[in-house]
Amino acid sequence: MQKNIMEYNTVELDEEQNAVVIIDQTLLPGRTELIALKTAQEIWDAIYLLKVRGAPAIGVAAALGIYVLVRDMDTEDFEIFYGKFREYQEFLDSARPTAVNLSWALKRMERTALKAGREQKRSVAEVKEILHREALRIREEDIQVCRRIGENGLTLVKPGDGILTHCNAGQLATVKYGTATAPIYLGQERGYGFHVFADETRPLLQGARLTAYELHSSGVDVTLICDNMSASVMAQGLVQAVFVGCDRVAANGDTANKIGTSVVAAVAKYYGVPVYVCAPTSTIDMDTPTGKEIRIEQRPEHEVTEMWYRERMAPEGVKVYNPAFDVTDHELIAGIVTEYGIAAAPYTESLREIMEKRRQESETED
Ligand code: MRU
């Protein structure tokens, strides 16, 4: 019998092959193919081409990926090891600029290497094992974090509510549960009977290909709509809350997410529908003061003019603008749902408090 898409791992480590194994998301929903990534170029391409995508999943892929790359390195000298580690780190980090989880996970792996190798003077073999455990911990943590986001998000809605989501901040964008979909999946476990509207999400169709697919496969009542239909469903009173994911939260609460999110948020404001941004604290970037400083990835023209169409759907030579993300102003956001609670305006303070909670928790773990 064919396996349900929810039974596959989005991203995992294959110890035997020494590879990062992912579901190639560019083939979904038509085909489910797992691919093994072994070289730096393969990992970079998979991230750039969105074979693995979604901020948390990219971070996990990079953490597992850098471990795979350094595992078989042949040196006993930590400084030589570290020099090569840094090369891989910079290379992987250059694959996509907006999701801070990518650099967050790589920096966390770097700190781990430095602590073990330079501070504690461990052998290179021990450093590799410590990196191994850290990469697996980053992956495991993602599951707990998403579940906690789900519990917190669930307090914002009630049984029978209509929920609109944009892009895919689902299980396929994380290790399990997703962020924006976590309250939906927990609600589903508890019989909440939500009605979900999934924006198709032009130009790469993550909403249609991925969100509608995973929710539908999980038995959630999901209705696919085109990106220009959100006002129509909100005007009819069919949506009680918007849940979206996020690639980077600035210190003032501005959030970068998939292109079109800010349009949804502006429309929701008009119709009085609260917009909740679901984000693990690994997505919060206190070093970026506002959304204006977030670097927005620009993607190739063909994604707009021909990708997913049977033939080109725009005149040759026409100018194309294809930013992958936009920034939703914090004034349009009713709450930022994290694993440490829900941040509300004024965000400068509430996000600082959330990050402080994380710092305290990680101190007690150390
Ligand atoms: O370009 P993508 O598909 O990687 O964009 C993904 C999103 O915008 C998600 O909403 C975001 O990364 C959060 S995923 C939990």
Side-chain angles (χ1 to χ4, degrees), residues 134-353:
E134 189 68 4
L136 293 179
R137 193 178 302 143
I138 289 173
R139 184 179 180 280
E140 273 316 297
E141 272 177 22
D142 188 61
I143 301 173
Q144 310 311 327
V145 162
C146 286
R147 187 146 184 120
R148 281 162 71 177
I149 289 174
E151 292 291 357
N152 291 334
L154 201 56
T155 64
L156 299 165
V157 276
K158 40 180 208 328
D161 272 356
I163 297 173
L164 186 139
T165 190
H166 188 76
C167 192
N168 174 265
Q171 174 152 307
L172 289 163
T174 63
V175 180
K176 204 170 160 63
Y177 302 115
T179 57
T181 56
I184 297 169
Y185 286 130
L186 294 195
Q188 175 79 358
E189 280 174 23
R190 295 169 198 179
Y192 271 52
F194 293 132
H195 306 285
V196 180
F197 292 93
D199 281 352
E200 67 173 347
T201 318
R202 283 281 296 148
L204 296 182
L205 306 180
Q206 290 94 329
R209 295 188 305 105
L210 309 175
T211 305
Y213 184 37
E214 56 168 88
L215 291 177
H216 185 63
S217 304
S218 307
V220 173
D221 173 25
V222 57
T223 304
L224 177 64
I225 58 173
C226 298
D227 292 340
N228 49 7
M229 297 174 186
S230 57
S232 166
V233 289
M234 287 188 209
Q236 294 174 65
L238 298 175
V239 180
Q240 280 65 52
V242 170
F243 280 125
V244 287
C246 181
D247 286 80
R248 194 181 291 248
V249 181
N252 73 340
D254 291 348
T255 62
N257 190 47
K258 180 53 53 195
I259 191 71
T261 302
S262 68
V263 180
V264 172
V267 169
K269 177 97 175 169
Y270 181 79
Y271 288 106
V273 176
V275 173
Y276 300 111
V277 174
C278 300
T281 49
S282 52
T283 305
I284 300 175
D285 179 8
M286 298 303 274
D287 295 332
T288 296
T290 76
K292 285 203 180 67
E293 290 83 32
I294 298 177
R295 195 170 139 215
I296 300 293
E297 175 184 8
Q298 300 294 322
R299 306 256 332 156
E301 295 182 3
H302 74 92
E303 291 181 348
V304 176
T305 55
E306 49 213 296
M307 203 171 172
W308 310 113
Y309 290 128
R310 212 174 314 146
E311 58 189 88
R312 188 181 164 92
M313 279 294 147
E316 290 291 348
V318 72
K319 282 196 283 185
V320 174
Y321 178 49
N322 185 17
F325 303 95
D326 60 20
V327 171
T328 301
D329 192 283
H330 60 275
E331 288 191 8
L332 299 175
I333 300 169
I336 299 177
V337 185
T338 78
E339 72 273 29
Y340 290 101
I342 303 166
Y347 288 104
T348 322
E349 282 164 38
S350 58
L351 289 175
R352 217 182 295 127
E353 281 166 22

